[in-house]
Amino acid sequence: MQNLRDASNPSSLVWFRIASQNSSAAETTHEKRLVCSVRFILIIAGSLLALNGIWWVGSARLTNRTALRRLIALFMGAQLVGLAWLFSGRLSHTGWDRWLPKFAIAALFIWHTLILPPLLALMVAALPILLLRAALHFFKRPRAAPAKSSDHHTTWSRRQFLGFAAAAAPPLCTLSLTTLAMGQLSQFRVRRFILPLRGLPRDLDGVTIAQVSDMHVGRFTSGRVLRDMVGAVNELRADLVLLTGDLINDALEDLDAGLELVRAMQGRSGSYLIEGNHDLIENGSEFERRVKASGIPFLLNESTVVSVRGAPLQLLGLSWTRAWENRDEAIASSVRQLLRQRQPDAFPILLAHHPHAFDAAAEASMPLTLSGHTHGGQLMLNDQSGFGPALFRYWSGLYTRGESKLVVSNGVGNWFPLRINAPAEIVHITLSRA
């Protein structure tokens, strides 16, 4: 009867219509995002397949050695099959893309991100020169009978040798880097910082934190290395274990395993988690719902006060900022809004996956911010040159602005198989009074 009375109420009918419209709009928006995502994946897949074909034809023309051409065909065929398998598995959500061996997936990543793009750029840059040389050669030399294949010749000309080297080097480089990457996937270090902080209460002097960031449980980070990570964290016997985002690589299929790992990490005063961008790739709302339901302390633009050695310490967890335009400004706005929750009687620590949150945090005199996301720059020539400074203002280690400090972890897991001068790490922090 109550439902009938509510239905007869004009205001209830209006509310019902609005709720239905909002629900339909949300479903439509979700469907549009799915369509855009599938379209984007198909465009990327088609482009990569075409670029592979271009290089295959170009590399085959660099040499007239039948054996090398067969090896190139084998390598390129494996790349194309692997690429099609990877994308079809992601689009169908069947998970069969995860059946590929790690070595094969690593080779796909390295070839298509580090080797193929510069090769094609060189081809495009050299194309006018090659066309000009071909034209000059055509008009200056008299026509002669086609030369026989040099497969049976025991000596090579300089041109033949250079062509052979140019065709063989990219696959060999890919396999070498893949072999190096496979050895790195099970390695990480413990990096230690002692941070003098002004305003740190006497009772918190000497408090220790194990910061675990970017575990990326899934494609490249699985098996024994995950157990080793948990063991290393527990050996630190830290007061707090703080996880600063990207628990999983992308697939929600790995979430339960990731949550079990978090439960196994032992902090004297508990373990606390925030989200990162990779956590939201497959289904952000479902990730957040399941982590909330797990019972693990999960801070989504929320804060909590923890008693550490009898003193109050406030953890403020920033959600991942989904804005694509004016990202830094959106991050700063989210930080300012979150910091309204600061409690004057508790020492605050900000957990923010993206390190650019530090700008707004420093403006608000936050004593300590912990971040990840950058993987230490992933591929670095040295401490100051590489993808880190090219993409981020803060990318690895300790940064100070005034009385505020930021620690950016290189992350302990991997979404990309190869690291250069940016080793995987667990961060151990000791707080001290300035």
Side-chain angles (χ1 to χ4, degrees):
M1 293 297 294
Q2 182 64 41
N3 290 338
L4 291 175
R5 285 196 296 271
D6 289 344
S8 64
N9 187 332
S11 62
S12 297
L13 290 173
V14 170
W15 177 87
F16 178 77
R17 291 192 188 101
I18 293 174
S20 300
Q21 291 170 359
N22 289 339
S23 176
S24 300
E27 291 177 1
T28 302
T29 301
H30 181 66
E31 289 175 357
K32 287 181 178 178
R33 287 176 179 173
L34 284 176
V35 170
C36 290
S37 177
V38 170
R39 187 178 300 160
F40 176 76
I41 291 174
L42 289 174
I43 290 172
I44 294 296
S47 301
L48 290 176
L49 289 171
L51 294 177
N52 275 287
I54 293 171
W55 171 250
W56 191 345
V57 172
S59 61
R61 293 186 64 83
L62 289 173
T63 180
N64 57 1
R65 298 282 165 170
T66 303
L68 179 59
R69 287 184 173 181
R70 288 174 179 172
L71 289 175
I72 291 173
L74 180 63
F75 176 81
M76 294 305 303
Q79 289 289 342
L80 291 173
V81 170
L83 191 68
W85 187 283
L86 195 66
F87 276 107
S88 61
R90 287 300 297 160
L91 285 171
S92 64
H93 296 285
T94 58
W96 64 41
D97 55 307
R98 301 158 62 87
W99 299 350
L100 287 173
K102 284 184 182 180
F103 189 94
I105 301 177
L108 284 170
F109 272 61
I110 289 171
W111 169 254
H112 289 100
T113 58
L114 297 183
I115 307 297
L116 183 61
L119 285 177
L120 293 173
L122 285 173
M123 286 179 63
V124 171
L127 188 59
I129 299 174
L130 295 175
L131 290 175
L132 179 60
R133 289 186 61 182
L136 291 174
H137 180 76
F138 178 81
F139 287 111
K140 286 186 176 181
R141 291 188 59 181
R143 296 189 179 184
K148 294 182 179 181
S149 173
S150 61
D151 279 354
H152 302 294
H153 290 206
T154 58
T155 59
W156 288 4
S157 68
R158 179 173 174 270
R159 180 179 179 182
Q160 288 173 330
F161 176 78
L162 291 176
F164 178 90
L172 290 176
C173 185
T174 300
L175 296 176
S176 299
L177 289 177
T178 302
T179 302
L180 175 63
M182 293 304 294
Q184 293 179 339
L185 292 178
S186 59
Q187 299 175 0
F188 61 89
R189 69 182 182 183
V190 176
R191 192 180 188 185
R192 299 176 185 270
F193 296 96
I194 299 176
L195 303 183
L197 298 173
R198 190 173 298 279
L200 183 72
R202 189 176 302 276
D203 291 339
L204 295 179
D205 188 25
V207 161
T208 57
I209 297 170
Q211 182 192 0
V212 183
S213 194
D214 300 85
M215 289 183 69
H216 288 278
V217 177
R219 180 173 290 117
F220 291 121
T221 312
S222 60
R224 180 177 177 180
V225 68
L226 292 172
R227 297 189 294 272
D228 291 343
M229 290 176 190
V230 172
V233 169
N234 292 341
E235 286 178 5
L236 295 174
R237 301 184 182 279
D239 292 293
L240 288 169
V241 176
L242 303 180
L243 295 98
T244 47
D246 283 358
L247 174 63
I248 60 174
N249 189 56
D250 51 40
L252 288 175
E253 181 180 346
D254 298 310
L255 181 54
D256 288 341
L259 294 175
E260 285 302 314
L261 293 167
V262 177
R263 291 189 184 96
M265 295 179 185
Q266 300 168 4
R268 290 191 179 96
S269 298
S271 301
Y272 296 84
L273 176 71
I274 64 169
E275 69 184 11
N277 56 310
H278 274 255
D279 297 320
L280 311 179
I281 287 177
E282 188 169 285
N283 189 326
S285 58
E286 179 65 11
F287 173 86
E288 292 171 351
R289 185 194 67 79
R290 286 173 58 178
V291 178
K292 279 288 187 183
S294 72
I296 295 171
F298 181 42
L299 303 176
L300 287 174
N301 285 331
E302 298 167 336
S303 67
T304 186
V305 176
V306 186
S307 178
V308 182
R309 300 188 182 183
L313 187 151
Q314 186 181 21
L315 300 174
L316 299 105
L318 189 70
S319 297
W320 178 254
T321 302
R322 292 170 170 84
W324 288 100
E325 297 181 1
N326 302 318
R327 177 179 289 275
D328 283 355
E329 186 176 336
I331 291 173
S333 177
S334 297
V335 171
R336 287 190 288 267
Q337 186 172 355
L338 175 61
L339 295 188
R340 293 174 186 172
Q341 301 180 30
R342 284 180 65 173
Q343 297 189 14
D345 59 342
F347 183 81
I349 297 177
L350 174 64
L351 309 180
H353 186 62
H354 201 299
H356 289 183
F358 180 56
D359 292 331
E363 289 176 5
S365 300
M366 277 291 294
L368 179 60
T369 301
L370 303 182
S371 295
H373 185 56
T374 66
H375 288 233
Q378 193 78 47
L379 304 173
M380 298 287 291
L381 297 176
N382 54 44
D383 291 344
Q384 300 298 321
S385 302
F387 281 103
L391 299 174
F392 305 100
R393 289 190 290 278
Y394 321 102
W395 60 91
S396 179
L398 177 63
Y399 299 86
T400 300
R401 181 183 295 180
E403 300 297 335
S404 300
K405 288 181 169 55
L406 164 70
V407 174
V408 183
S409 170
N410 289 1
V412 70
N414 297 278
W415 73 268
F416 188 79
L418 181 66
R419 288 176 177 264
I420 298 177
N421 294 323
E425 64 187 18
I426 293 168
V427 174
H428 182 266
I429 299 168
T430 302
L431 307 183
S432 67
R433 287 167 56 85

